[in-house]
Structure formats: structure tokens, C-alpha cells
Amino acid sequence: MKILITGAKGFVGKNLIAQLNNIKTGKAKNYNLSSDLDIVEYDIDTPFEVLDNACKDCDFIFHLAGVNRPKDEKEFMEGNFGFTSTLLDLLKKYNNYCPIMLSSSIQAALDNPYGKSKRAGEELIREHFQPSTLNPQPSTFIYRFPNIFGKWCRPNYNSAVATFCNNIANDLPIQVNDRNTELNLVYIDDVVDSLINLLLKHETLAVSNLPLASEDNSQSQQPKQFQEVHPIHKVTLGEIVDLLSTFNTQPSTLLMPEIPNDSFAKKLYSTYLSYLPKEKVSFPLKMNIDNRGSFTELLKTEKCGQFSVNISKPGITKGQHWHNSKWEFFIVVSGHALIQERKIGTDEIIEFKVSGEKIEAVHMLPGYTHNIINLSETEDLVTVMWANESFDPNKPDTFFETV
């Protein structure tokens, strides 16, 4: 399949091309799409011949090119209407009526220069796809995108999310005029998945039955005219800033906020991380060091406990305590150890010999005093530990007693 992508160097274009290349090279196996892809990239600095040649025989077009922040308002029409007209003229020259995906905007419903130019581009696409002898089964997919966020989005341009992520990650000031302002947001990976799914469609849209975009179109009509990306996240500026502030302090608090699958928080965290400067990609952890070795907290979660790493010097025994309700996993990743557990009030001891050569998790049972002994005389013992709750110094639930 030969795919032409205009606006290839833009935010959506870069993300779409990256995933199409993953499919082409067999790295992305979650799409039921052939890897036999010929991807033609076109942008403002690409020779015109590339566009002309691609229009001869391309099988699908992602028309992402557009202008949204020009120096002169007339560039709106030149970029959003004029280039679309050029593209369609080339396709007509070669009698190529392949499907086209058009990147439009929710502002196409507004009466401003940008909105008018996007609406004019939509109308051109629809007119191009009116049924004819050459074009018996027209196929166009128009997206009126809301705000899109995700990696590689240009900050301080036209995305509040990108600007906030960049500035907070780089300790730069941000300005929020109204914390209650609500945004409709879609995530770039969801956008890319939606676009790639167009390549999988077996049916086509009956464009001839769709009304032209106009100011009289009601919201109830729009789902019949425009493709949509889901989920749409409705989030206030205040909620975005609060989440980003939490992400920014994570290296010092070690607290990982709750980020459920497919949640806005999860997607925003991934976006935020993509703007980190080099000096913040790595951050130090507090090692509690004594003559026995060290103990370091790695990560705390709001509802799922905390992770730590323990290093014991040769021959050292650590632990010798028990908990009422807290439970833990001990996972030796390097060295050899003996783990002992004894139920409080009894003499019976259960033992586990563990090593980094065969990694396994051992429960530290509530009501059992427990320890871990480094069996080596020369090597350190490294143990990853998980506890079901973060340590609370005011209620440690930890009581000394030898096994």
C-alpha cells in the first residue's frame, strides 16, 4: 500500500509516520495491517516532484498539512485551502480518487479566519469526492480535531498542554488565567491508532449523503459528517497544572500518583516525561547507609505500597522484626541468602534459600518475625523489596524480635 502523508514533519505527522514505520518493519504487531507499506513523506520543504509522483498511484492520503499560526491572516487560506486545492488538482490529473483523511479542526465551525480556511478545505474535499463514473465509491475521512497532546508537540505554539509540560519540566513559569477553563483533549497515540484503523476499513463513507459543513450544522449532525477520536478527555487547566506539579515533585517525594490504564493522568505523565531536560532524566535516591550495607526507598504509590532495595554486606543478617498487618515480598536479585520466618508465639521456623541465579518472590507473612541472611563471605546481597503500604513513621507497624 502506497501512503502519502502531507505535513509529515508536523506533530501528528511525525507520530503517525513513526508508528507506520514500526508496522512496516514488523515491530508493531498489534495492528492487523500488512507490513508492505510505501510511505511517502511530504512537507513544506519537500520538492514538489515528490508530491506529483505520489499522486499518480498512491492508495491512501493522510492530509495533515495546514497553517495555524501564520504571520499574515491570508496565509490561512493559502495553506489550508490553497494547498488542498493543489493536492486535489494533482489527483484529478491522474484520475486518482484514493481515500483521503483530512486533518481539520473544531474551529472550522467558527467564523474566524482560521476556521473559515479549514471549513473551505473540508468543502473542497467533499466536492472532489462527489460520485462520478471515475469515482463510483468516494471515500473521505474528515477529522475536526480538538486539542491534541502528546510527545513531540511544540511548546509555546498552540498547545497549552505542551507549554505547561515543557515549562514545568524545565522550571519555567506558567500562566493560568482561569483554573476552571475546561479543555477537550485527545491523546496523540489515540489519534494515531484511529488514523491507522482507517487503513483497515473495508467499507467507505457515502459522502454524497453527507451535508456540507456550514454554520447551520447542529452538534447532533456532526457525528454523521466527521470522524472522531476516542476517548475525549474533558479536563480543566487547574487539574492539568496540579497533576504536572505532582509529576514534577516525584523525584523528591518518590510518590507515583494513581495512573489507571487509559486515564488522562497516565497519558499526561508520558507527555510530561518527553519534555524533561537531560539533567532531570536521572535523579539521586537517598541511600540509608550503615556498617551492614544500605537501604534505599525507590518508589511509593498512593494505593499499592512502596518499592525499596536492600544491600547487605557479606555475613550480615537484616530484619528481625514482624508486622501486624503489613506484608512484603523479598526478591533477591544478586547473591545468596537464607530467609527465615517464625510465627509469633511459636518455635517453628520456615526457611527459604534464595539467590539471584533463580529469582523468586518470598512472602513476609503478617504475624511472623522474619530476617534475611547474606550467606556469602565475599559478595554483597541485593534484595528488591515491596511492601503493601508506604512506610508511616507515625504508625510503622514494625516490631523488633529475633527469629
Side-chain angles (χ1 to χ4, degrees):
M1 182 185 299
K2 188 171 186 177
I3 301 168
L4 169 63
I5 301 175
T6 71
K9 293 182 180 179
F11 169 42
V12 176
K14 287 190 291 186
N15 279 273
L16 174 61
I17 290 168
Q19 194 68 328
L20 287 175
N21 279 326
N22 285 335
I23 295 172
K24 182 177 180 178
T25 56
K27 299 171 186 174
K29 302 181 184 301
N30 55 308
Y31 299 94
N32 187 25
L33 185 66
S34 170
S35 61
D36 185 17
L37 302 178
D38 179 7
I39 303 168
V40 181
E41 303 177 26
Y42 185 83
D43 212 281
I44 192 169
D45 56 356
T46 309
F48 182 78
E49 292 77 12
V50 173
L51 181 68
D52 185 80
N53 290 331
C55 287
K56 292 178 183 179
D57 57 357
C58 60
D59 301 300
F60 198 101
I61 298 174
F62 290 105
H63 184 23
L64 307 175
V67 174
N68 53 23
R69 291 286 293 272
K71 295 179 180 179
D72 191 312
E73 284 189 356
K74 67 180 182 180
E75 294 178 41
F76 279 127
M77 273 297 177
E78 292 173 358
N80 297 324
F81 174 83
F83 179 69
T84 299
S85 179
T86 299
L87 173 66
L88 297 178
D89 286 344
L90 288 174
L91 292 170
K92 290 175 183 176
K93 181 174 76 170
Y94 296 114
N95 293 325
N96 186 348
Y97 287 88
C98 68
I100 299 179
M101 171 271 162
L102 173 67
S103 174
S104 188
S105 166
I106 54 174
Q107 291 201 41
L110 304 179
D111 193 28
N112 58 40
Y114 176 62
K116 288 180 179 178
S117 68
K118 298 302 279 187
R119 189 161 63 246
E122 294 175 0
E123 292 169 354
L124 268 182
I125 292 285
R126 286 198 173 94
E127 290 170 3
H128 172 78
F129 279 107
Q130 289 301 313
S132 67
T133 303
L134 295 174
N135 179 34
Q137 289 187 309
S139 183
T140 183
F141 306 93
I142 299 175
Y143 285 77
R144 281 189 171 181
F145 287 121
N147 297 284
I148 307 175
F149 72 103
K151 67 183 185 301
W152 307 337
C153 187
R154 180 177 171 184
N156 302 303
Y157 188 62
N158 64 344
S159 168
V161 174
T163 301
F164 288 171
C165 285
N166 175 75
N167 287 18
I168 290 176
N170 290 276
D171 300 319
L172 299 173
I174 62 170
Q175 179 178 342
V176 180
N177 296 323
D178 184 357
R179 284 178 54 88
N180 295 318
T181 298
E182 187 175 72
L183 301 180
N184 291 334
L185 299 167
V186 289
Y187 184 51
I188 187 61
D189 286 7
D190 296 326
V191 171
V192 168
D193 282 347
S194 180
L195 299 186
I196 292 176
N197 282 336
L198 295 180
L199 301 175
L200 303 172
K201 283 183 176 291
H202 298 290
E203 70 276 6
T204 58
L205 293 180
V207 180
S208 59
N209 295 327
L210 299 179
L212 292 177
S214 71
E215 296 176 4
D216 296 328
N217 286 335
S218 66
Q219 293 294 321
S220 62
Q221 290 175 305
Q222 288 196 16
K224 298 178 182 179
Q225 301 180 71
F226 307 109
Q227 302 293 304
E228 291 185 346
V229 176
H230 295 284
I232 298 174
H233 301 281
K234 297 181 181 295
V235 193
T236 66
L237 291 178
E239 290 171 332
I240 294 171
V241 171
D242 290 346
L243 276 171
L244 290 174
S245 297
T246 301
F247 303 159
N248 189 45
T249 59
Q250 193 276 331
S252 58
T253 65
L254 299 183
L255 180 63
M256 181 65 64
E258 189 175 6
I259 45 175
N261 188 41
D262 207 33
S263 66
F264 174 74
K266 181 179 180 181
K267 297 168 183 178
L268 184 66
Y269 209 152
S270 295
T271 302
Y272 165 79
L273 291 175
S274 71
Y275 291 90
L276 282 181
K278 179 182 177 181
E279 58 269 22
K280 283 192 176 183
V281 174
S282 171
F283 58 92
L285 296 170
K286 181 184 176 183
M287 297 180 66
N288 300 289
I289 302 173
D290 59 25
N291 58 2
R292 302 173 302 160
S294 66
F295 177 81
T296 306
E297 293 181 326
L298 302 178
L299 178 69
K300 299 178 181 179
T301 69
E302 290 184 343
K303 297 181 180 180
C304 299
Q306 75 172 52
F307 296 86
S308 308
V309 62
N310 181 76
I311 299 177
S312 299
K313 292 183 178 180
I316 290 296
T317 298
K318 284 192 176 183
Q320 306 286 43
H321 60 239
W322 63 280
H323 316 289
N324 280 310
S325 298
K326 183 186 296 184
W327 76 88
E328 301 162 301
F329 285 128
F330 284 8
I331 306 168
V332 170
V333 296
S334 180
H336 294 76
L338 176 66
I339 295 175
Q340 297 178 314
E341 301 186 52
R342 177 178 60 83
K343 187 176 182 180
I344 296 300
T346 72
D347 296 326
E348 182 181 352
I349 297 175
I350 56 177
E351 296 184 334
F352 305 89
K353 283 191 175 182
V354 291
S355 78
E357 296 175 0
K358 182 185 178 183
I359 295 177
E360 55 189 305
V362 181
H363 285 283
M364 299 300 108
L365 305 173
Y368 281 70
T369 187
H370 50 269
N371 63 24
I372 182 166
I373 305 167
N374 186 350
L375 297 178
S376 174
E377 296 180 357
T378 58
E379 297 180 357
D380 285 348
L381 173 70
V382 182
T383 308
V384 174
M385 298 176 171
W386 172 85
N388 70 308
E389 59 186 42
S390 295
F391 180 74
D392 181 357
N394 297 316
K395 189 181 178 182
D397 189 14
T398 301
F399 311 99
F400 175 79
E401 184 167 338
T402 60
V403 175

